[in-house]
Amino acid sequence: MKSLTLLVTGFCAVLLPLSLHAESTDPLTLWYREPAIGWTNALPIGNGRLGAMVFGGVEREHLQLNEDTLWGGGPYDPNNTNALAALPEVRKLIFDGKYDEASALVGEKMMATPLRQMPYETLGDLFLDFPTNGTVENYRRDLNLDTAVASVSYKIGDITFKREMFVSPVNQVIVIHLTADKPGQISFTTGLTTPQKATVKVENGDTLVMSGVNADANGIKGALKFQARVRILPKGGSAGLLTLMGAGNLVVNHADSVTLLIAAATSYRNYHDTSGQPEKITKKQIAAASRKSFNDLRAATIAAHQKLFRRVELNLGDSGEAANLPTDERIRNFDNGNDPQFAALYFQFARYLLICSSRPGTQPANLQGIWNNSMNPPWSSKYTININTEMNYWPADTANLGECVEPLTQLVLDIAQTGKRTAKIEYDAGGWVAHHNTDLWRATAPIDGPQYGMWPSGGAWLCNQLFDHYEFIGDKNYLKKIYPAMRGAAQFFLDTLVEEPTHHWLVTCPSMSPENTNPLAKHASITDGPTMDLEILRDLFTNCIVASEILGKDKHFAGQLAATRARLAPLQVGHAGQLQEWLQDIDMQAHDLHHRHVSHLYGLFPSDQIDFYNTPELAAAAKKSLEIRGDESTGWATAWRINLWARLHDGDHAYSILRFLLSPERTYPDMLDAHPPFQIDGNFGGASAMVEMLLQSRVDESDPEQPVYEIEFLPALPKAWPDGSVSGLRARGGFEVSENWKDGKLVSATIKSLEGNRCHLRYGQTVESIKTKKDQELFWDGQKKIEFIAPPQISP
């Protein structure tokens, strides 16, 4: 580790007790009366590629920094050439009921080499040390979700100090702006530290430059170069920028204001090319940003953020005085049930996080978004694709952030290439496959051990997620883009599905119900035909068939898929009335009846194979499974349960679990999700669930050229939100929806048809069918009254 001592030459730096600041009244602001004590108290800012956690200390400001392509290792091939020879014996052992023996053979012959994938790594830390002589008063630390600006303010003596910090998606720099209300009061020392193999130097008298290489990981040599640059621009007074001799630090004395610009980049170009030039990139970014004023940088950042963020407004009721408390106190008090505005804040915080961690051209949001302070974070902060990565994107379309799906789309197109090699080497199959994890290098082989990694359906689920995005946007060019990946995923299963010996259904084998121990085994998860796989494949095959008809291609292939789909094992109801997780009725023999994963309920959510209206028996079985599993689990698993109860139209039950998710047990003081430890998917899953409580949509694609979309209003509205409104939500079929309700009843809904599709409007038992025109807007009262709203007249 390269550690640079931060000096405060000539300063008396003493942090004195903080006085309380006046309450906040901004409904879209997280705020606190004291600096962050630890990382999960700090506030996240980001632009999709660069991220920072802001601590807000008075004596020492600390920004922990991330760049989304700084991962361990380099391009590598993890595929195990011994796997194919072992596959027939593994299948035989499974069909003979020898699950533990099959698992042992998988562990010996079929797992990836190396067994672990590469970790997402921290870039380092920026520190600013300030003189603090006197009592600190009126301290406030906040994050405004509407502007994406974090601020710190406080008063010492008769001087008020302020910092503003944000990450520009326009100029690709982190910006820190320091001011005081009297001239010549800004003095500090700044420096960079990092656990990476790196050096820090001063360049041109005003810029800190940190250059290094990423770490080796799991036997794979680091292949990335990286660089971070911090340029300091003081203004006014007798501002002098001094270099401290013998250390990579800079001192500013008595400036009126100071702007710091931080750029960072790696040599990553794509998963097989690390020939980029981070020095050239960071120099160019700093030079371009330096030519702009702070106000211009700030205005451009806010405009780019609000273009996405302001699409949706949510009002769940008035919290009164509870809304004025600091955010950490609101988290502690939320279970009291008197702060509906906090639930709305949590929803908007998730939207903010997705904007800040997944923009077009960046990497997708990983297990921690982009915010990570470790070289070896929990679960390596990878892309876990047996639920967590998918959950990150559940609210993207419904909460009107469809552009944020682009990085996920690119990841799937990448692993559709690397997964071809895995399919061929490990299964002798066509198409492509990805198991339960991937990383920056797009590894697709099974990892972590047979109890976690021997699950072949991760890529298929991701394809379903992309097709769902298509159903929201209706862009045939997008469908053309993703169809080859969908087709390849389906081809793999046409080549690898096998007939199970009892009913002669087609099943996956070997596989697992993600991370859950097989009740018929002592320790193994290995099985054949888990319910989740068959649900995912039923969606994948159906989506491919629909896509082939829309695109007018692959008619023969679509026929193969239809015939194979008909032979998949059906959904089954067990003796306890539960939806079976396995081919056999063994759920009640589970080693852990309250297991965090609820994989077999994929058919209820995010899929709609199990529907409240159309398949009531299966819906009742899914409900029984949820009751058996229990309500409280890890952060993301709790969030999934809320979505499922919303699909069952039980708003009060969904809300009771939401109260647990938003409690201190599952929400850190900075509102990030506590798995624990921190894992961002719970934030996104919680936001998705709140949409599902207020609006649901589904599609009947029996005629792919003329699909009919159903939009259901307030399907799971809890008693805790009797009055409210929401605007800007999206429904499948290209509809933008607003709703108003009072006393628990829908008062009005406005629906804008962006694609001109047919739709059914449903509120309770009332259903109205309409044919819309593109860009047409209509009003509905939830009963019989439908009015088409004339577009505004444009003056010549």
Side-chain angles (χ1 to χ4, degrees), residues 461-480:
W461 189 351
L462 288 173
C463 285
N464 293 341
Q465 185 109 5
L466 298 192
F467 187 79
D468 194 51
H469 177 57
Y470 163 74
E471 289 188 327
F472 278 91
I473 64 174
D475 183 350
K476 288 187 180 179
N477 288 327
Y478 179 77
L479 185 60
K480 290 177 183 177

Side-chain angles (χ1 to χ4, degrees), residues 576-592:
Q578 87 286 2
L579 187 74
Q580 287 183 199
E581 186 167 2
W582 322 86
L583 285 179
Q584 305 94 333
D585 186 3
I586 54 176
D587 296 55
M588 303 311 294
Q589 303 172 41
H591 295 258
D592 178 8

Side-chain angles (χ1 to χ4, degrees), residues 314 316 334 340-348 350 398 639 642-643 646 654-655 658 661-662 683-695 715-718 721 726 729 739 741:
L314 177 62
L316 297 175
F334 182 74
Q341 284 180 264
F342 181 72
L345 180 68
Y346 187 92
F347 169 79
Q348 294 287 22
T398 57
I642 305 171
N643 283 274
Y655 180 75
L658 182 70
L661 183 67
L662 271 58
N683 290 101
F684 296 134
S688 167
M690 293 173 69
V691 176
E692 292 294 319
M693 294 163 76
L694 302 176
L695 185 76
L717 183 70
W721 302 336
V726 64
L729 297 181
E739 302 172 280
W741 64 93

Side-chain angles (χ1 to χ4, degrees), residues 650-707:
D650 193 334
D652 289 331
H653 199 135
Y655 180 75
S656 71
I657 308 175
L658 182 70
R659 288 171 64 173
F660 174 69
L661 183 67
L662 271 58
S663 75
E665 291 184 76
R666 290 296 177 266
T667 296
Y668 287 116
D670 60 4
M671 286 182 65
L672 291 175
D673 174 68
H675 181 285
F678 164 53
Q679 199 166 289
I680 203 167
D681 38 28
N683 290 101
F684 296 134
S688 167
M690 293 173 69
V691 176
E692 292 294 319
M693 294 163 76
L694 302 176
L695 185 76
Q696 294 177 19
S697 64
R698 57 193 65 87
V699 56
D700 176 1
E701 284 180 315
S702 53
D703 179 0
E705 290 295 333
Q706 292 291 325

Side-chain angles (χ1 to χ4, degrees), residues 267-469:
S267 59
Y268 183 87
R269 295 171 64 93
N270 55 53
Y271 65 90
H272 53 78
D273 184 349
T274 60
S275 64
Q277 298 177 288
E279 180 174 5
K280 182 178 180 180
I281 294 170
T282 57
K283 280 184 175 180
K284 182 178 180 180
Q285 291 169 340
I286 289 290
S290 298
R291 291 191 288 269
K292 300 186 177 183
S293 70
F294 166 74
N295 287 336
D296 286 345
L297 292 168
R298 188 180 189 276
T301 297
I302 292 173
H305 176 73
Q306 289 180 343
K307 182 180 179 181
L308 298 172
F309 184 79
R310 284 192 168 182
R311 292 173 179 171
V312 175
E313 295 183 4
L314 177 62
N315 171 24
L316 297 175
D318 189 350
S319 296
E321 288 302 312
N324 295 325
L325 294 174
T327 302
D328 49 346
E329 292 185 35
R330 295 177 75 179
I331 294 169
R332 291 195 295 269
N333 296 336
F334 182 74
D335 195 46
N336 295 338
N338 61 352
D339 194 355
Q341 284 180 264
F342 181 72
L345 180 68
Y346 187 92
F347 169 79
Q348 294 287 22
F349 181 60
R351 296 181 69 247
Y352 165 87
L353 292 174
L354 190 56
I355 295 169
C356 292
S357 61
S358 184
R359 279 179 167 269
T362 72
Q363 295 299 308
N366 62 45
L367 279 176
Q368 297 186 195
I370 52 171
W371 299 279
N372 162 45
N373 63 342
S374 173
M375 294 292 285
N376 187 25
W379 301 282
S380 301
S381 194
K382 302 185 300 293
Y383 302 105
T384 301
I385 58 176
N386 67 8
I387 174 58
N388 313 94
T389 301
E390 290 87 353
M391 184 177 286
N392 283 358
Y393 288 89
W394 283 353
D397 284 301
T398 57
N400 212 337
L401 295 174
E403 294 92 331
C404 295
V405 177
E406 191 274 342
L408 183 69
T409 301
Q410 188 55 54
L411 179 144
V412 176
L413 298 182
D414 287 348
I415 62 174
Q417 298 305 311
T418 57
K420 288 179 182 178
R421 182 167 171 80
T422 303
K424 186 63 178 176
I425 289 177
E426 303 215 8
Y427 297 90
D428 192 26
W432 67 278
V433 64
H435 293 79
H436 92 296
N437 261 279
T438 191
D439 58 14
L440 182 74
W441 311 108
R442 307 315 193 227
T444 54
I447 67 162
D448 292 343
Q451 67 272 37
Y452 304 109
M454 197 64 247
W455 184 68
S457 301
W461 189 351
L462 288 173
C463 285
N464 293 341
Q465 185 109 5
L466 298 192
F467 187 79
D468 194 51
H469 177 57

Side-chain angles (χ1 to χ4, degrees), residues 37-237:
I37 300 170
W39 194 86
T40 51
N41 291 64
L43 295 172
I45 55 176
N47 70 351
R49 187 181 68 85
L50 296 174
M53 295 290 283
V54 179
F55 284 69
V58 175
E59 181 184 46
R60 165 174 276 195
E61 178 60 275
H62 174 195
L63 271 72
Q64 184 269 312
L65 308 173
N66 287 105
E67 200 276 351
D68 73 346
T69 62
L70 185 52
W71 291 58
Y76 69 109
D77 180 1
N79 296 297
N80 191 331
T81 56
N82 297 315
L84 183 59
L87 182 59
E89 179 63 17
V90 168
R91 285 174 171 162
K92 183 179 185 302
L93 289 169
I94 290 171
F95 289 145
D96 288 344
K98 298 178 180 179
Y99 303 105
D100 292 284
E101 292 91 332
S103 183
L105 184 57
V106 167
E108 181 184 353
K109 298 292 187 180
M110 298 188 72
M111 301 309 295
T113 53
L115 187 59
R116 311 290 181 198
Q117 289 177 353
M118 303 301 109
Y120 179 50
E121 297 177 345
T122 182
L123 174 64
D125 301 87
L126 176 73
F127 294 99
L128 283 71
D129 285 324
F130 300 92
T132 52
N133 295 312
T135 301
V136 176
E137 299 179 309
N138 293 346
Y139 178 90
R140 177 186 170 101
R141 173 172 61 100
D142 64 38
L143 172 63
N144 187 305
L145 304 182
D146 184 51
T147 62
V149 176
S151 302
V152 176
S153 62
Y154 53 88
K155 188 175 183 179
I156 299 178
D158 61 349
I159 302 170
T160 297
F161 296 89
K162 185 175 182 180
R163 302 173 209 150
E164 293 183 274
M165 291 148 283
F166 54 86
V167 191
S168 172
V170 179
N171 299 104
Q172 292 299 314
V173 291
I174 301 170
V175 181
I176 305 172
H177 188 58
L178 311 173
T179 58
D181 64 354
K182 295 184 183 299
Q185 298 300 317
I186 305 297
S187 300
F188 64 91
T189 301
T190 187
L192 286 163
T193 70
T194 181
Q196 302 278 359
K197 293 176 285 187
T199 59
V200 181
K201 65 179 182 179
V202 175
E203 189 175 284
N204 300 326
D206 66 354
T207 302
L208 293 172
V209 181
M210 180 170 71
S211 302
V213 295
N214 70 324
D216 303 344
N218 301 313
I220 304 299
K221 186 172 178 57
L224 291 171
K225 296 177 292 183
F226 70 86
Q227 188 175 96
R229 306 179 76 85
V230 183
R231 187 175 184 190
I232 304 174
L233 302 171
K235 282 189 176 181

